Amino acid sequence: MLDSLREGLQGALAKLIRSNVVDEAAIKEFVRDLQRSLIQGDVNVKMALEVTERVQRRALSEKPAGGVTRKDQMVSILYEELSRLLGGEGGLQPEKTKTSVLVMLGVQGSGKTTTTAKLARLFTKKGFRVGVVAADTFRPGAVTQLRTLCEPSGVEVYSDDREKDSVKIAKDGRKHFEGSKNLIIVDTAGRHKEEAGLLAEMKDIVQGVKPDYNILVIDGTIGQQCYNQAQAFHQASPVGGIIVTKLDGAAKGGGALAASAATGAKIFYIGTGERIDDLEEFVPTRFVGRLLGMGDLKSLLDMVQQAEVQVDEKAVQRMMSGKLTMNDLLAQFDQMKKFGSLKKVVEHIPGMAGQVNSQELDKAEGRFGVYKSIIQSMTVKERAEPDTINASRIKRIARGSGRSEKDVRELLSRYKQMKSLVKTSKGREFRQMMRRMGGQ
Ligand code: GDP
Ligand code: MG
């Protein structure tokens, strides 16, 4: 889901991460890329401009905290601003000790009936006594659809075939369930020849039923229109929460951001399929994490912090002067372990996820174990001066470590590569690399 937006955002981040320095020009370019990907991902233009303006202002004025690189800081700012747009944490939390009433609002086809059944099942599982009111008097078969969807979960449905006034049914249904249920969900029609009529009917139902939550159900595939639709509903009767449906398909996902921003209401759930269990609680930070291609920011930053160690200046100087030892390599491998699996690290780096072959990572990680055992079979002198390792020593080390001579040669050539890398890299870059790896 959300492929277009995700690709755009990840591309913009990847470009930023690849850049050598994060200066004003790089920030501005990033902000332009960001704007483009938000708009292409169906985010309302006005909103996209607002978000990117905030990102730019913060990026240019805030100094990164100690130990945080400029790039990490940029990722954090973007992450925070997108999450903020989505209305922060906290979902739908009715209490079992009183009766809560939800009214499902939204245009026809947005997924109200399906979502009503999904919610009824979810809250039944959570131990609520749920009653559903079928207040769609427009669509023939609407009651049957609702009953069919609710039956497998054992949820009771209130309907009245003879009554044509949906407001009356909604009120009667509420009365019917009050006392025996602690969660009442009213499914409405949302079908009307013109929008004004639809909004007026919504208003009547809301005034008649006086629900605890006005839930706007919005189709995530309608893109930019989400913004205007959400705003129109919100003006007619204030929206208390949003459910965005159909985010399983080709939806660009910007609609979710738009609906939330237009109403200031939180998104409670997202619909991710036609099946009854395809309803996910909406957690803004998780959603943004997914968009940006990382698990979530907090776990990434935690991990970086955990592995963050003081750079040993003396060791850096020694290595920079070309005296890289096998013990230094060993320390590097151990530090990699501290990060957890390489794959996990890569998955957490924005823009990297999906770009690196996970089989190769597994292989690389497997090699660390091999190299480590080889280094452990070396003498103190061999570790300090690997260049003295000749063919007969290779043979001995291979035998001692139970590895092949080829493995030993491979390690030695890795060592040489690393050594020349150290020599050619600029001091600042090298320190940064060490710090990132947590090495010394
Ligand atoms: P209503 O007119 O607002 O009550 O909408 P319905 O609940 O009848 O849903 C309209 C169509 O959208 C139906 O075919 C549903 O199966 C489908 N639908 C609803 N939610 C989702 C969803 O999250 N994902 C997908 N793929 N389809 C959905
Ligand atoms: Mg319906």
Side-chain angles (χ1 to χ4, degrees):
M1 80 174 186
L2 317 171
D3 287 339
S4 156
L5 188 57
R6 182 164 39 203
E7 273 164 29
L9 290 178
Q10 289 189 21
L13 269 180
K15 193 157 133 197
L16 179 79
I17 284 166
R18 276 196 307 270
S19 63
N20 289 327
V21 279
V22 183
D23 53 10
E24 193 172 328
I27 290 174
K28 287 193 167 151
E29 190 176 339
F30 173 66
V31 166
R32 270 196 304 276
D33 289 341
L34 195 62
Q35 241 165 39
R36 193 176 323 116
S37 43
L38 287 171
I39 291 168
Q40 278 171 2
D42 266 351
V43 176
N44 172 280
V45 176
K46 188 168 144 270
M47 265 172 53
L49 293 181
E50 262 172 37
V51 175
T52 48
E53 230 160 65
R54 279 187 65 95
V55 170
Q56 174 159 330
R57 187 154 20 94
R58 287 187 57 187
L60 292 177
S61 66
E62 291 176 15
K63 290 217 157 43
V68 177
T69 68
R70 206 75 172 111
K71 288 173 187 174
D72 284 344
Q73 184 210 12
M74 290 298 295
V75 175
S76 303
I77 290 176
L78 177 63
Y79 190 83
E80 279 164 22
E81 290 303 323
L82 289 178
S83 305
R84 205 177 60 90
L85 191 72
L86 285 163
E89 305 282 336
L92 174 62
Q93 279 157 342
E95 288 166 34
K96 282 184 186 148
T97 49
K98 64 187 229 349
T99 301
S100 306
V101 182
L102 315 182
V103 168
M104 309 294 276
L105 307 174
V107 299
Q108 191 226 345
S110 59
K112 291 179 301 300
T113 305
T114 313
T115 308
T116 299
K118 286 177 179 178
L119 279 178
R121 179 180 171 84
L122 182 78
F123 279 94
T124 302
K125 277 202 209 154
K126 289 187 180 187
F128 281 83
R129 297 185 307 278
V130 185
V132 165
V133 181
D136 179 353
T137 50
F138 276 95
R139 188 170 154 194
V143 176
T144 316
Q145 183 198 7
L146 192 58
R147 284 193 182 282
T148 312
L149 288 169
C150 286
E151 207 163 72
S153 325
V155 172
E156 190 187 337
V157 177
Y158 174 88
S159 64
D160 184 348
D161 291 343
R162 281 156 309 168
E163 183 57 64
K164 286 290 159 225
D165 178 358
S166 55
V167 180
K168 173 102 180 16
I169 296 182
K171 280 160 86 173
D172 288 350
R174 176 179 186 149
K175 237 179 260 148
H176 173 81
F177 284 132
E178 237 157 23
S180 67
K181 308 287 186 201
N182 52 13
L183 185 65
I184 302 170
I185 310 176
V186 183
D187 180 28
T188 66
R191 172 187 279 199
H192 222 281
K193 282 176 219 73
E194 27 87 44
E195 193 183 87
L198 167 64
L199 294 176
E201 189 188 283
M202 295 280 147
K203 223 169 165 168
D204 286 346
I205 291 189
V206 168
Q207 272 165 8
V209 180
K210 296 194 176 50
D212 299 278
Y213 294 96
N214 266 344
I215 311 253
L216 174 65
V217 178
I218 208 153
D219 179 339
T221 62
I222 64 170
Q224 295 265 352
Q225 292 171 48
C226 278
Y227 190 86
N228 294 336
Q229 202 181 89
Q231 209 165 37
F233 272 93
H234 191 54
Q235 273 158 9
S237 44
V239 168
I242 299 169
I243 297 180
V244 185
T245 62
K246 307 183 196 178
L247 283 182
D248 47 318
K252 293 183 184 171
L257 295 158
S260 180
T263 55
K266 291 190 171 94
I267 298 174
F268 289 156
Y269 292 93
I270 52 176
T272 54
E274 290 191 65
R275 287 172 308 131
I276 190 91
D277 285 321
D278 294 333
L279 189 69
E280 268 182 44
E281 195 169 330
F282 183 78
V283 183
T285 48
R286 201 190 298 152
F287 183 80
V288 173
R290 254 196 238 170
L291 279 180
L292 299 185
M294 51 194 174
D296 73 41
L297 182 70
K298 193 177 168 302
S299 51
L300 169 69
L301 294 181
D302 280 354
M303 209 156 66
V304 172
Q305 218 158 42
Q306 251 176 35
E308 196 91 53
V309 292
Q310 286 304 312
V311 173
D312 180 344
E313 271 302 321
K314 263 196 229 139
V316 170
Q317 291 299 341
R318 183 169 49 71
M319 286 192 251
M320 295 279 301
S321 70
K323 290 213 179 62
L324 182 73
T325 70
M326 280 292 173
N327 285 332
D328 294 326
L329 272 195
L330 200 59
Q332 286 294 306
F333 298 151
D334 282 342
Q335 290 297 344
M336 293 301 295
K337 283 257 156 62
K338 202 165 155 191
F339 261 116
S341 109
L342 251 188
K343 221 186 318 187
K344 225 166 67 200
V345 176
V346 170
E347 269 163 19
H348 277 92
I349 301 174
M352 277 286 272
Q355 285 191 14
V356 181
N357 184 327
S358 74
Q359 270 175 345
E360 291 202 341
L361 285 180
D362 279 341
K363 222 163 73 189
E365 214 156 59
R367 295 315 283 166
F368 288 161
V370 173
Y371 296 157
K372 210 173 151 177
S373 66
I374 294 174
I375 296 175
Q376 280 160 347
S377 291
M378 291 177 182
T379 64
V380 175
K381 187 164 179 288
E382 284 164 349
R383 287 195 202 190
E385 293 168 42
D387 293 327
T388 62
I389 301 176
N390 57 19
S392 71
R393 284 177 187 269
I394 289 176
K395 210 172 252 166
R396 200 210 73 243
I397 294 167
R399 225 180 304 123
S401 60
R403 308 288 177 181
S404 68
E405 286 177 38
K406 189 167 153 277
D407 286 338
V408 181
R409 287 209 175 80
E410 188 182 293
L411 169 65
L412 289 174
S413 94
R414 278 290 148 86
Y415 163 80
K416 284 204 183 84
Q417 271 170 14
M418 181 90 170
K419 199 166 151 180
S420 70
L421 191 83
V422 171
K423 266 194 201 145
T424 52
S425 73
K426 294 185 203 78
R428 204 175 61 88
E429 276 172 19
F430 182 65
R431 275 185 193 83
Q432 206 168 33
M433 183 176 95
M434 290 284 116
R435 205 173 290 128
R436 280 198 163 253
M437 302 301 300
Q440 16 200 289

